[in-house]
Amino acid sequence: LRIAIGLSALLLGLVQATPANAQATMTGEAGLVTIPTTDVLEPWHLRAAVYGNGEIETDPQKGNRDLDRVDFSVGIGLLDNLEVYSHIPLVFFNRSLASGSDDTTSNGGLRLGVKYRVLDETAGSPVSFALLADIVIGIGNDSLPAILDRSTAFGQRETYEVMGILDRTLWTTKSGEAGVLTLNAGGLFFDKPARFSINDQGTEFRRRYQGPPTTFEAPFEFAAGIKAPLFHWYYGKVSWTEEFRGNTGTVEQLRGAIPMQLFSGFRWYLPERTGLAFQGGLDLGLSGVLDQYRYLLGLAWQTPPPPPPPAPVVA
């Protein structure tokens, strides 16, 4: 476990590749690692990213239901303050059965989204504010776990998301890097699963489940994150991120077990004209229905900004 945590902390962050500070995240929109911010791509700037997200096993003897993912995302800026994006996960789901091990490899739902920035601090507003709207097309495997959050809307059911995003710059370093607080609030709305099986759920979920009847509710989402610049050197910029997120739960029988997670990680912004980025960290499950530890590692590229114009020649 110590080795896995150490590797997660050493494989760092994300790149700042456009003048508007847009950065890639798991779900394709610009923002923190797991939480969207009000940043958007410049018009006709592109972004592509791939991420690995999986459980750090602490007790292999428990007969876990392992859920690992590789996420692919793309985004494009269309107009000033407007971007669209898509995201799809490849899911590796393993469960131990009496007859042996059952491995399911399948894609999750296809997420299509749009984000519009309404207010911008750089234009004189006291805060930045954006609206986000997504639809997840249910083309995944219906045997995947049923707990929903904004990045794991799997299965053969459509999911809709609406969210308000607020950013506030708390401080600015001498080099011009900003420490930013981000707040999210929104909701998920989804078609009920065609079927529900306790055997398809994660280990911690099964321990807390109060079945057998199962009813579902649309969860309210909430999140807060902070990006703190650490240092700026020849090989790029490094910053620390703390991100807290949660929702009120999907399965009503799990009362008192609100899914909440705390992500700690680094970003490494390579020199801007490469358009490349690295990020990584550790996700800690704060409720009894989630994996206790998960890692996240990512690589992203986006259209680098044009080089500065040459300095005028003085005759």
Side-chain angles (χ1 to χ4, degrees):
L1 174 60
R2 282 186 295 227
I3 294 174
I5 294 174
L7 289 174
S8 298
L10 287 174
L11 292 172
L12 307 176
L14 179 64
V15 84
Q16 175 176 330
T18 71
N21 299 331
Q23 298 148 9
T25 64
M26 287 183 62
T27 49
E29 73 276 9
L32 296 171
V33 180
T34 65
I35 298 174
T37 71
T38 61
D39 289 338
V40 294
L41 287 166
E42 293 290 311
W44 306 115
H45 279 236
L46 303 174
R47 177 179 56 247
V50 59
Y51 293 86
N53 181 4
E55 181 181 4
I56 300 174
E57 187 62 78
T58 57
D59 187 355
Q61 305 304 318
K62 290 181 179 178
N64 261 336
R65 303 298 197 262
D66 293 325
L67 179 68
D68 301 319
R69 307 203 320 261
V70 177
D71 297 75
F72 302 91
S73 66
V74 294
I76 182 172
L78 289 184
L79 303 169
D80 287 338
N81 298 313
L82 177 70
E83 75 170 53
V84 297
Y85 50 86
S86 66
H87 160 258
I88 190 166
L90 179 63
V91 185
F92 305 89
F93 181 52
N94 173 272
R95 56 183 179 172
S96 300
L97 303 175
S99 57
S101 179
D102 176 35
D103 294 300
T104 299
T105 300
S106 176
N107 59 279
L110 173 64
R111 178 184 294 271
L112 303 173
V114 60
K115 181 167 63 171
Y116 178 66
R117 183 169 56 195
V118 181
L119 300 174
D120 187 359
E121 278 187 288
T122 63
S125 298
V127 297
S128 295
F129 181 75
L131 296 172
L132 176 149
D134 287 349
I135 178 173
V136 181
I137 301 172
I139 59 174
N141 190 308
D142 205 34
S143 294
L144 296 175
I147 280 188
L148 287 172
D149 62 29
R150 69 179 319 271
S151 63
T152 56
F154 300 139
Q156 296 178 353
R157 54 192 179 275
E158 291 184 351
T159 305
Y160 307 89
E161 179 184 34
V162 293
M163 180 180 291
I165 308 167
L166 185 145
D167 283 340
R168 173 65 177 170
T169 299
L170 301 181
W171 74 90
T172 303
T173 67
K174 293 181 179 179
S175 62
E177 296 299 300
V180 180
L181 171 69
T182 296
L183 301 176
N184 289 181
L188 289 171
F189 309 92
F190 56 90
D191 290 341
K192 303 300 186 292
R195 66 181 184 86
F196 175 83
S197 171
I198 189 64
N199 291 324
D200 290 339
Q201 309 310 310
T203 303
E204 303 304 327
F205 180 100
R206 289 183 289 117
R207 288 177 180 154
R208 290 294 300 269
Y209 180 66
Q210 301 172 15
T214 307
T215 53
F216 294 83
E217 59 184 358
F220 170 74
E221 302 177 288
F222 50 90
I226 190 165
K227 182 187 74 172
L230 293 180
F231 57 88
H232 185 179
W233 60 325
Y234 177 77
Y235 293 103
K237 307 169 185 177
V238 177
S239 62
W240 175 265
T241 64
E242 286 291 330
E243 303 171 30
F244 169 80
R245 65 193 190 280
N247 61 72
T248 55
T250 304
V251 178
E252 291 184 348
Q253 281 70 18
L254 291 172
R255 295 294 186 186
I258 295 178
M260 293 183 293
Q261 293 163 295
L262 179 66
F263 176 84
S264 298
F266 287 95
R267 300 169 176 275
W268 180 15
Y269 305 81
L270 293 170
E272 291 186 1
R273 284 169 184 76
T274 68
L276 290 174
F278 298 94
Q279 65 185 16
L282 178 68
D283 224 3
L284 176 64
L286 302 179
S287 65
V289 298
L290 300 172
D291 294 333
Q292 187 174 9
Y293 302 107
R294 296 186 68 85
Y295 69 85
L296 190 151
L297 303 172
L299 171 65
W301 172 88
Q302 68 184 53
T303 309
V313 177
V314 180

